[in-house]
Amino acid sequence: MAAATRGCPPLGSLLRLLGLLSAATASWDLASLRCNLGSFCECDFRPDLPGLECDLAQHLAGQHLAKALVVKSLKAFVHDPSPTKPLVLSLHGWTGTGKSYVSSLLAQYLFQGGLRSPHVHHFSPIIHFPHPSNIDRYKWSHLSQVTQPAGSSALRTHPEQSVRLCHSVWQGVLLLAGKQYWYLPASCCEGDSIIQLQKDLKNWVQGNLTACGRSLFLFDEMDKLPPGLMEVLRPFLGPSWVVYGTNYRKAIFIFISNTGGEQINQVALEAWRSRRDREEISLQELEPAVSRAVLDNPHHGFWHSGIVEERLLDAMVPFLPLQRHHVRHCVLNELAQLGLEPRDEVVQAVLDSTTYFPEDEQLFSSNGCKTVASRIAFFL
């Protein structure tokens, strides 16, 4: 789903926009230096909750529960000057229903640099575990310190100083005011056990939280992680003041997976068959089934991690399957994002080329809105 923001309040002043476009300037050095001098630091955390609400209302189709849960959770967290624990959300649902779209909006409306902010960190098993058959034997090599050349910009990768890791190339190290931010390599190395993976994951999270307590961590494809890996995150997610010498209570953790999607789809189908309005579906109907699907799935990162059992999640956010009129909404959004007027024949062609399920009812889009952009390009 395209991350359009047309019609919503601007993200900020011209100065803020220029800050986004010139994130590589030395102003990052000053901000980081100030961050190192006290616990008051907010880094580039600049929450725009009205803008987020507007964008969700206009462009997130068919997700009344997700909108309400995300906004309510964020408001309570952002307005608390001294939260007792980080905000931890787990997004669940069928492919193409808006989970990744929402996570990108959170980065966009919470941090001045959006997804490019040095305080927004993305973890994906597709990137970091390129060989699933050997996933339990991978490790991440330790980072090497890269010295920032005098006078160079703060936000910079150094391909000429990259470190070769097994058969991959380290992508670079970000330095702010001489402080190294921790980044994972582009791929992993064969050799060590899950214990080494846990150790390096902990170091990655801890290193970034030490650099800035106001950090956002996005964990994608949670149903493709090795069992036991996420257990190491448990101390970071609970109510405590300090973990490993790091004040982490203002951090945000977002976990994304398709697990629970089938259960959510079944509840939505039964509601439709009983002629209940979609908006009548409640969290209480979905949460037990989603929790059980996660706990029973040995391929999910939460399996045997204690994260669900110890109630460290602030919310399990369900994303409902999308119907034909929701896909139409996505098509119109994408056309607007491209600066094109809606053409009935294009909209209809995209809808007709989309596959739906179940076989009898042809009710829900098999890929949600995931393929809308490519289909529009084909029919233009």
Side-chain angles (χ1 to χ4, degrees):
M1 191 182 304
T5 56
R6 294 161 64 91
C8 294
L11 290 179
S13 65
L14 177 59
L15 179 60
R16 183 176 173 186
L17 179 58
L18 290 175
L20 173 61
L21 297 176
S22 59
T25 66
S27 60
W28 288 107
D29 283 328
L30 179 58
S32 180
L33 180 59
R34 288 169 45 218
C35 285
N36 296 333
L37 296 179
S39 60
F40 60 87
C41 170
E42 295 292 289
C43 304
D44 67 338
F45 187 70
R46 305 289 187 272
D48 177 11
L49 296 184
L52 174 64
E53 285 190 81
C54 174
D55 211 323
L56 289 173
Q58 291 191 20
H59 304 117
L60 183 63
Q63 304 299 350
H64 68 285
L65 287 173
K67 291 176 187 176
L69 277 172
V70 168
V71 170
K72 181 180 179 180
S73 300
L74 275 175
K75 281 185 175 179
F77 182 74
V78 169
H79 293 155
D80 187 347
S82 184
T84 58
K85 67 181 293 295
L87 177 62
V88 186
L89 302 178
S90 187
L91 314 186
H92 298 266
W94 202 249
T95 183
T97 51
K99 302 183 298 297
S100 296
Y101 175 68
V102 168
S103 66
S104 68
L105 284 186
L106 293 182
Q108 178 181 346
Y109 285 102
L110 291 178
F111 289 85
Q112 185 173 340
L115 289 169
R116 295 177 56 197
S117 166
H119 311 302
V120 174
H121 313 286
H122 182 237
F123 178 90
S124 170
I126 302 301
I127 297 173
H128 299 109
F129 298 135
H131 307 292
S133 62
N134 297 324
I135 200 169
D136 62 331
R137 294 191 289 130
Y138 288 145
K139 75 170 184 179
W140 300 308
S141 291
H142 295 288
L143 303 183
S144 295
Q145 184 72 34
V146 177
T147 302
Q148 184 181 11
S152 62
S153 84
L155 185 60
R156 177 186 293 241
T157 56
H158 302 274
E160 72 280 0
Q161 297 177 355
S162 295
V163 179
R164 185 162 296 279
L165 303 176
C166 297
H167 300 292
S168 65
V169 177
W170 172 242
Q171 292 182 322
V173 176
L174 173 66
L175 294 176
L176 299 183
K179 191 178 190 70
Q180 176 174 305
Y181 283 72
W182 292 68
Y183 271 57
L184 290 172
S187 61
C188 309
C189 307
E190 259 185 279
D192 288 347
S193 66
I194 190 67
I195 296 175
Q196 183 64 45
L197 283 169
Q198 290 177 326
K199 177 181 177 181
D200 290 329
L201 178 58
K202 187 199 82 170
N203 288 340
W204 178 65
V205 172
Q206 181 184 349
N208 283 306
L209 286 177
T210 301
C212 180
R214 279 294 194 188
S215 293
L216 171 62
F217 294 91
L218 302 174
F219 289 84
D220 207 355
E221 305 280 2
M222 284 290 291
D223 41 1
K224 295 180 175 62
L225 288 173
L229 178 60
M230 291 291 106
E231 181 182 358
V232 75
L233 293 185
R234 189 167 52 183
F236 293 100
L237 307 181
S240 179
W241 286 85
V242 176
V243 173
Y244 310 119
T246 299
N247 187 335
Y248 69 100
R249 294 171 293 117
K250 291 188 175 182
I252 300 175
F253 292 83
I254 307 295
F255 301 97
I256 305 170
S257 75
N258 294 338
T259 301
E262 293 183 6
Q263 290 76 9
I264 295 171
N265 292 353
Q266 187 61 38
V267 171
L269 178 60
E270 290 173 1
W272 181 83
R273 286 173 174 170
S274 60
R275 299 185 179 181
R276 292 172 56 204
D277 286 341
R278 182 186 181 94
E279 286 69 24
E280 293 179 13
I281 299 175
S282 67
L283 180 63
Q284 289 71 25
E285 293 179 73
L286 297 171
E287 192 171 37
V290 175
S291 296
R292 180 49 51 195
V294 170
L295 292 173
D296 290 345
N297 184 359
H299 300 292
H300 195 281
F302 287 160
W303 191 69
H304 285 189
S305 69
I307 292 174
V308 177
E309 297 91 332
E310 296 181 17
R311 303 184 184 278
L312 299 180
L313 300 177
D314 292 287
M316 277 189 167
V317 183
F319 284 72
L320 299 171
L322 300 183
Q323 295 175 237
R324 190 180 182 91
H325 63 282
H326 299 131
V327 178
R328 178 184 178 85
H329 184 96
C330 295
V331 175
L332 295 176
N333 275 344
E334 184 65 25
L335 289 171
Q337 179 73 4
L338 295 172
L340 301 175
E341 292 295 326
R343 291 163 46 189
D344 290 340
E345 66 274 17
V346 173
V347 174
Q348 193 61 44
V350 172
L351 294 177
D352 292 344
S353 68
T354 301
T355 58
Y356 301 88
F357 72 96
E359 185 176 352
D360 293 336
E361 289 91 345
Q362 294 287 293
L363 182 62
F364 302 126
S365 169
S366 299
N367 293 307
C369 287
K370 194 168 188 176
T371 61
V372 161
S374 60
R375 290 175 187 271
I376 287 177
F378 180 78
F379 290 111
L380 282 178

